[in-house]
Amino acid sequence: MTTSPRERPAPGPVLGIVAGKGPLPLAVADAAAAEGRLVFIVGIRGRSMGDIERHPHAWVRYGALGRTLDLLKQAGCRDLVMIGPLDRPRLFHFWPDLLTLSLIPRLLRLLRRGDDGLLSGVVEYFEKEHGFRILPAEEVASGLVAPPGLLTETGPTTEEERDIAKGIAVVREHGAADLGQAAVIANGEVLAVEDQDGTDAMLRRIAERRPPDRPRQGVLVKLPKPGQERRVDLPTLGVLTVENAAAAGLVGIAYEARGALIADVEGVAACANELGLFVIGLPAGTSEARA
């Protein structure tokens, strides 16, 4: 589609944002605009939130890489933030354009290197072949960087600290194998490990099989994968994560400080306090595997 005059950004340096799911793309755009920077968002139909329309924007179908590149170049973008999770393409939910079709052999080779290999390859393609500069979201919106320490009124018990330690070990192992960024541990038992469907889907599965009379227990641990491409794939937390963790009967969430993005820290803390969960930022570097 062609952007309307109302949607076109003003002339000058423009920050391009390729928006995946969730509130983070809008948070990045709001932060950049608050600093006087022009922004242009490419939203993916059926994935990106409709609220991105408060900024100059255009919509594309999932898989329309050529159209996405054309729109970003027409808008005068050079710096680019790719933010928000996207599920892997599935039949009838992915409509590749001609450019994407031409790149499928390359994409399949990258997929054999795992999710991080795919993301690194996409970053390299945008930068080396199209002249964009991919920025980490926190360079544009420092307020999204997950802070260290306890965000909530209550913290983990000694037993829950042991579950966090077990979760760190599990996520390091799975992350090193490019298998996920999160796990749920309760009383030393691994209840679930994140797969390609993401954290929210994992939490919903726990909620569905949780006996209604079971006491609340368990901790969600989210960490970046060791050595991953951090400009486009840091773990994310939000109010929805807290709500899903509560529905799954968990008692807390632990993440790596400066190794995750939170769209609304105050909202996350308030929601967790209301639902009786703790949220805590572990020291930076926690995700790195130990010898």
Side-chain angles (χ1 to χ4, degrees):
M1 63 171 281
T2 302
T3 56
S4 69
R6 178 180 59 83
E7 294 170 329
R8 290 195 187 102
V14 180
L15 174 69
I17 299 172
V18 178
K21 293 181 178 179
L24 284 169
L26 182 60
V28 171
D30 286 347
E35 294 182 0
R37 188 160 191 176
L38 299 169
V39 300
F40 180 73
I41 307 175
V42 177
I44 300 172
R45 293 194 180 278
R47 270 98 181 145
S48 308
M49 293 176 60
D51 288 351
I52 66 170
E53 293 188 349
R54 74 169 67 154
H55 294 282
H57 68 281
W59 291 96
V60 299
R61 67 181 188 269
Y62 192 17
L65 177 59
R67 181 62 178 151
T68 298
L69 289 166
D70 287 345
L71 287 165
L72 292 168
K73 291 174 182 178
Q74 290 167 13
C77 303
R78 180 177 177 273
D79 291 345
L80 186 62
V81 173
M82 307 171 86
I83 184 72
L86 281 175
D87 50 336
R88 282 200 180 196
R90 288 180 169 86
L91 192 61
F92 305 123
H93 295 280
F94 185 73
W95 299 273
D97 59 12
L98 290 176
L99 177 60
T100 307
L101 286 171
S102 73
L103 293 172
I104 283 178
R106 183 191 299 195
L107 293 172
L108 291 174
R109 288 194 298 272
L110 292 171
L111 276 170
R112 286 196 288 270
R113 292 162 45 193
D115 286 346
D116 199 48
L118 174 63
L119 290 169
S120 296
V122 168
V123 167
E124 182 178 1
Y125 175 77
F126 270 76
E127 290 194 326
K128 291 189 175 180
E129 300 194 28
H130 291 279
F132 292 103
R133 183 174 65 146
I134 306 299
L135 302 179
E138 60 266 30
E139 185 171 322
V140 178
S142 59
L144 298 179
V145 178
L150 188 65
L151 300 187
T152 46
E153 295 168 357
T154 60
T157 64
T158 300
E159 181 178 333
E160 289 153 6
E161 287 177 345
R162 287 195 290 266
D163 282 343
I164 291 172
K166 175 71 175 284
I168 291 169
V170 169
V171 178
R172 278 181 189 155
E173 179 181 354
H174 282 256
D178 202 18
L179 295 175
Q181 298 175 311
V184 174
I185 313 295
N187 297 324
E189 176 187 355
V190 181
L191 296 187
V193 178
E194 183 187 67
D195 60 17
Q196 67 182 36
D197 291 330
T199 301
D200 291 326
M202 175 184 69
L203 293 173
R204 285 193 292 268
R205 290 193 294 268
I206 296 173
E208 288 168 359
R209 65 175 185 256
R210 174 179 179 251
D213 57 346
R214 192 189 78 181
R216 288 177 55 182
Q217 58 183 355
V219 178
L220 169 66
V221 178
K222 291 199 73 168
L223 305 173
K225 300 171 188 175
Q228 77 173 57
E229 173 54 77
R230 291 194 170 209
R231 286 178 291 175
V232 294
D233 192 32
L234 280 180
T236 61
L237 296 171
V239 170
L240 181 62
T241 313
V242 177
E243 293 173 342
N244 285 336
L250 305 188
V251 295
I253 299 171
Y255 61 85
E256 180 182 314
R258 304 198 63 79
L261 300 175
I262 303 179
D264 180 4
V265 173
E266 292 182 358
V268 164
C271 181
N273 285 329
E274 181 179 348
L275 295 174
L277 278 72
F278 69 80
V279 180
I280 189 169
L282 306 172
T286 295
S287 60
E288 297 303 314
R290 305 297 194 263

